[in-house]
Amino acid sequence: MPIRQSNGINLHYEIVGQGAPLLFLHGLGSRGEDWAAQIPYFADRYRVITADMRGHGQSDKPPGPYSVPMMARDVIDLLDGLGIGSTHIVGLSMGGMIAFQLGVEWPERVGSLVIVNSGPALVARTVGEWLRIRQRLLLAQLFGPARTGHFLSKRLFPKADQSLMRLQFIERWAQNERDAYLASMRALVGWSVLERIDEIRCPVLVISGDRDYTPLELKREYTARIRGAQFVVIEDSGHATPIDQAENFNDVVLEFLARVSMTENEEFQQ
């Protein structure tokens, strides 16, 4: 089992394929293996790296508090240990927040960013948003990951033909440790790099499912603040776009990465 000491903890990671590094960062309560629909697809062209963030999967689950900058530092130490200078990054939800933190704090380590159903802040702007955040925290505190997984599965995969996705989600969500899960969730609440996203200079693609929790207009607003960033909506998709629309998602990301590579080659030849 590949383990690397990163920022004082053991991080579990996997590497598949050859080529330019492509790092996938999972969401809250998830793990690296949940990129199963992406790993073989991209490993034909890239050196695909997946990792379990602190508090998740087979990585260490130290006592909290955690923070997004702390998790970003974990990633940097992992890349250092693997001898990787710069990498393309795909981040879903919490992973997208970590990716944003990396983009503003370590721009030289980021070749491009793909932000999926995420944003540069989790700060309540209205009473309704505050209530939704508090509800999610309270649900996790009262019922733990197992019961929370049952509740979330119906929102993530509401269709009749998504029963297998729901069952797999419930099974994996139940494997989370309660305290580590709560520490990870609390790390996200109140975090923001929104005031710094105009500093980002690498190519950026923002992807949203049309039924994601966060309003599309809010994502369009922050995308417009990032120089040259692109915004793509994937239809018939909720928060777990890389799972519920894996084929469409993979094609969109690959096309973006191909354009990035083409631009890099043109700049090198000039």
Side-chain angles (χ1 to χ4, degrees):
M1 183 174 70
I3 291 288
R4 178 73 60 174
Q5 270 278 330
S6 299
N7 198 17
I9 65 168
N10 291 314
L11 278 189
H12 171 255
Y13 69 95
E14 299 283 351
I15 299 179
V16 181
Q18 300 290 328
L22 175 58
L23 173 65
F24 287 87
L25 300 177
H26 64 75
L28 176 68
S30 184
R31 60 189 63 203
E33 66 184 291
D34 289 332
W35 295 102
Q38 283 68 54
I39 294 170
Y41 181 90
F42 288 96
D44 285 344
R45 305 165 180 85
Y46 294 92
R47 184 184 181 193
V48 174
I49 307 152
T50 57
D52 297 340
M53 295 295 94
R54 71 167 56 220
H56 292 77
Q58 299 179 68
S59 291
D60 283 350
K61 301 169 181 63
Y66 301 170
S67 70
V68 176
M70 178 188 292
M71 291 186 275
R73 178 78 253 183
D74 294 344
V75 172
I76 289 296
D77 281 7
L78 175 63
L79 294 176
D80 287 345
L82 296 175
I84 296 173
S86 176
T87 180
H88 302 293
I89 300 176
V90 180
L92 169 65
S93 194
M94 180 185 79
M97 299 178 187
I98 298 169
F100 266 125
Q101 189 75 44
L102 292 165
V104 300
E105 291 291 342
W106 288 278
E108 72 281 3
R109 309 300 295 271
V110 182
S112 68
L113 288 173
V114 178
I115 305 296
V116 190
N117 294 330
S118 187
L122 185 58
V123 178
R125 301 169 303 152
T126 65
V127 173
E129 290 179 357
W130 183 85
L131 288 173
R132 282 191 290 274
I133 292 171
R134 297 307 303 174
Q135 180 190 47
R136 181 78 180 271
L137 281 168
L138 184 61
L139 185 68
Q141 289 171 329
L142 291 177
F143 301 114
R147 293 275 300 276
T148 303
H150 279 272
F151 171 77
L152 292 175
S153 69
K154 297 173 185 177
R155 296 182 63 190
L156 290 172
F157 308 109
K159 296 183 174 184
D161 62 357
Q162 294 177 329
S163 58
L164 290 178
M165 294 179 185
R166 283 195 299 274
L167 289 173
Q168 185 179 63
F169 176 85
I170 290 169
E171 178 183 345
R172 289 187 176 173
W173 209 262
Q175 295 172 19
N176 283 293
E177 293 185 8
R178 179 181 180 276
D179 290 346
Y181 176 74
L182 284 169
S184 300
M185 184 182 296
R186 289 175 178 138
L188 309 182
V189 178
W191 165 84
S192 176
V193 292
L194 180 62
E195 70 284 355
R196 297 186 60 189
I197 59 173
D198 59 340
E199 300 173 16
I200 296 174
R201 290 293 178 265
C202 69
V204 176
L205 170 65
V206 177
I207 296 176
S208 177
D210 61 341
R211 293 183 282 100
D212 184 38
Y213 310 141
T214 308
L216 295 178
E217 190 54 40
L218 186 62
K219 292 171 187 161
R220 288 192 178 95
E221 288 176 6
Y222 81 68
T223 301
R225 292 180 50 183
I226 304 171
R227 188 178 70 176
Q230 306 166 48
F231 181 66
V232 173
V233 177
I234 294 185
E235 301 295 330
D236 194 26
S237 179
H239 191 63
T241 301
I243 298 175
D244 68 22
Q245 288 292 338
E247 184 175 348
N248 290 340
F249 173 82
N250 291 349
D251 289 345
V252 168
V253 174
L254 183 61
E255 182 181 348
F256 168 75
L257 292 174
R259 289 198 302 269
V260 171
S261 297
M262 185 180 301
T263 300
E264 289 175 345
N265 290 336
E266 290 174 352
E267 291 176 349
F268 177 77
Q269 292 171 5
Q270 290 178 355

